[in-house]
Structures are given as C-alpha cells and as structure tokens.
Amino acid sequence: MTTIAERLELVRERLRRVVESAGRADAEVRLVAVSKTQPADAIRAAYAAGQRDFGENYVQELQTKAEALADLPEIRWHMLGHLQRNKARQVVRHAALVHSVDSAELASELGKRWRALPGFDPAQRLGCLIEVNIAGEAQKSGVAVAGVDRVARGIEAVPELRLAGLMCIPPFAAEPEASRPHFEALARLSAELGGPERLPELSMGMSGDYEVAVRSGSTLVRVGTAIFGQRPLAKVSSVEPA
Ligand SMILES: *Cc1c(COP(=O)(O)O)cnc(C)c1O
C-alpha cells in the first residue's frame, strides 16, 4: 500500500516533468486534489504533505468538510460539480473558485449570495469558470460551445464575480490521447473568446489524462483517484468499514 503523501508526490513529479517538457513554468499549472467521497482524514494527510487546493462535487459534502477542516488555515476549496441556484448560498461561503458555472442566472445568484455574506469585501471577487460541454454530449452538464460567450458576459456583468476561465470534462475514454482533441478545442475556444486576458484559467485534466491536458494548455488539473486511491462507495453502501 502506498500512502496519500507518496501518491501525491508521484503526481507532482509527473506534473513537473510534463510541464517542463511542454516548455511551460511550474507556476502556470495548479494541482487541485479532488477529494469527493473521501474522508476528512484523507484531506488532512494531503494537506500535511503540502497540498492546499481541494475539489468537491456536492454542495452538502463541501459544506460538511469545510466545517470539519476549518482549522486548516490555507485550505482552498474548489466547487466542481453541477450547481443549482438554490445551493449558491452554501457554495459562496466556502468555495474560492467555482468551476461549474453554466448560466448567467446562476452567476447572478452567486453574486447576490456572495455580496450578502457577513464581512463581504467588494475588492474580493468570487472567481468563476464556465463549464463547457465541449463534445456536445446529450446527457452532460455544461454550456454548449455557441453559448459560452453569453455566459461569460453574464459573469462579467456581475460586479462581485471575476471571470476566471473555462472548464471541461471530455467524454470518458480509457486512452488518455482520446481527450486531446477536446482539450485543444477548449484551448481554441478560450483563445477565440479573448485568451488569457479575459479567460486566464483552463480547468482540464483528471487522473487519466492530466499530462495530455498540460500539453494542451491546462492551468488547473483536477486529480482524484491518482492521489486518494479508488473512491469509497460510501454513498451507496450500508456496510462501509469504520
Ligand atoms: C471526480 C472528478 C475529477 C477527478 O477524477 P479522477 O479521475 O478521480 O481524477 C475531476 N473533475 C471532476 C469534475 C470530477 O467530478
């Protein structure tokens, strides 16, 4: 058995190598450890090994963990999952960056809830990425390519928000190279819509394909199982070990 610290170091090492071979700088690519369904202790282990950015998919789980781990002063939470407007209030309390904005209406609600937080500071805008349904998959969440500029303008119209970039989850594939055309399409879309000036971040790449994503221009890789191991099926199991 390898430990979380060991797997984390392995991912960092592979990231360093691909960043270098792509002719990019280490500071251009941030590792988000996707901790959904993992227990708080697993997050503590990664934090102790120097990890600061963590990603969650479900609002309730984000809230529970953010409260349980409030003693970790430098932790930053990323909201990755599909988000309903009626959950915006809980999200803005905890998330440093929302990767899954998919409508101008959601943006407006996030801005309103962010402004209503106790201690709201107008200089601190909430960073928002637009989730793009890059392969036009029928059942997938995210904005169709043709609608991305409209949502971008929606975010830019909310003074409490900062348009941070684009995010995608390509179709599942066993072969990492299968993701490349989708990552390149997201990078092209970003360039067409204004490039890094307007859309500084590209959130793309998971455990199976983060190296391909870095070569395609990713600035935020979202890695879960390669750091934490297989996700426990705690949500559906009634016989989970203590
Ligand atoms: C679960 C998830 C990840 C991490 O997936 P792994 O394959 O475990 O690395 C990344 N991004 C999103 C949006 C996810 O839901």
Side-chain angles (χ1 to χ4, degrees):
M1 278 293 278
T2 51
T3 65
I4 287 172
E6 285 164 348
R7 289 192 294 260
L8 183 59
E9 188 44 42
L10 203 68
V11 170
R12 286 185 182 136
E13 183 52 39
R14 285 176 57 176
L15 261 181
R16 273 194 295 269
R17 248 181 281 147
V18 69
V19 163
E20 190 186 357
S21 79
R24 303 182 61 195
D26 282 333
E28 289 175 36
V29 185
R30 204 167 5 144
L31 173 62
V32 178
V34 180
S35 47
K36 64 182 178 206
T37 79
Q38 301 291 348
D41 281 352
I43 299 172
R44 286 190 187 278
Y47 187 94
Q51 180 64 27
R52 292 294 179 266
D53 292 277
F54 293 87
E56 291 286 338
N57 279 48
Y58 308 101
V59 176
Q60 183 56 53
E61 196 178 342
L62 168 66
Q63 180 165 350
T64 306
K65 285 180 184 167
E67 283 165 8
L69 297 164
D71 59 306
L72 304 180
E74 294 171 5
I75 200 161
R76 282 183 298 269
W77 293 104
H78 296 245
M79 177 63 198
L80 308 179
H82 178 66
L83 188 52
Q84 282 163 340
R85 264 186 283 168
N86 62 7
K87 300 280 175 62
R89 192 172 60 85
Q90 290 99 299
V91 168
V92 300
R93 283 180 58 203
H94 302 296
L97 200 56
V98 180
H99 292 232
S100 47
V101 176
D102 61 2
S103 73
E105 293 71 26
L106 174 60
S108 160
E109 187 69 21
L110 287 168
K112 193 166 99 188
R113 297 302 185 176
W114 180 244
R115 186 173 46 230
L117 279 185
F120 165 69
D121 170 2
Q124 286 277 329
R125 292 179 298 156
L126 177 66
C128 291
L129 292 100
I130 300 167
E131 181 177 354
V132 182
N133 185 355
I134 195 68
E137 293 172 275
Q139 314 92 316
K140 220 170 219 164
S141 53
V143 184
V145 168
V148 173
D149 191 49
R150 182 186 172 269
V151 179
R153 284 185 275 114
I155 294 171
E156 287 166 330
V158 180
E160 294 82 15
L161 303 183
R162 176 176 63 82
L163 178 59
L166 305 181
M167 178 271 233
C168 78
I169 308 168
F172 176 79
E175 169 57 47
E177 279 299 321
S179 300
R180 183 187 298 271
H182 304 295
F183 293 153
E184 291 180 350
L186 194 73
R188 260 195 322 274
L189 178 65
S190 172
E192 284 163 18
L193 295 177
E197 288 263 307
R198 188 183 187 205
L199 299 160
E201 307 272 9
L202 277 175
S203 169
M204 51 190 204
M206 317 204 307
S207 291
D209 56 15
Y210 65 88
E211 289 161 303
V212 175
V214 167
R215 287 193 214 98
S216 307
S218 176
T219 67
L220 289 162
V221 292
R222 312 178 308 264
V223 178
T225 45
I227 295 171
F228 294 109
Q230 286 303 321
R231 279 182 278 278
L233 295 174
K235 293 246 137 128
V236 293
S237 170
S238 55
V239 289
E240 55 186 295

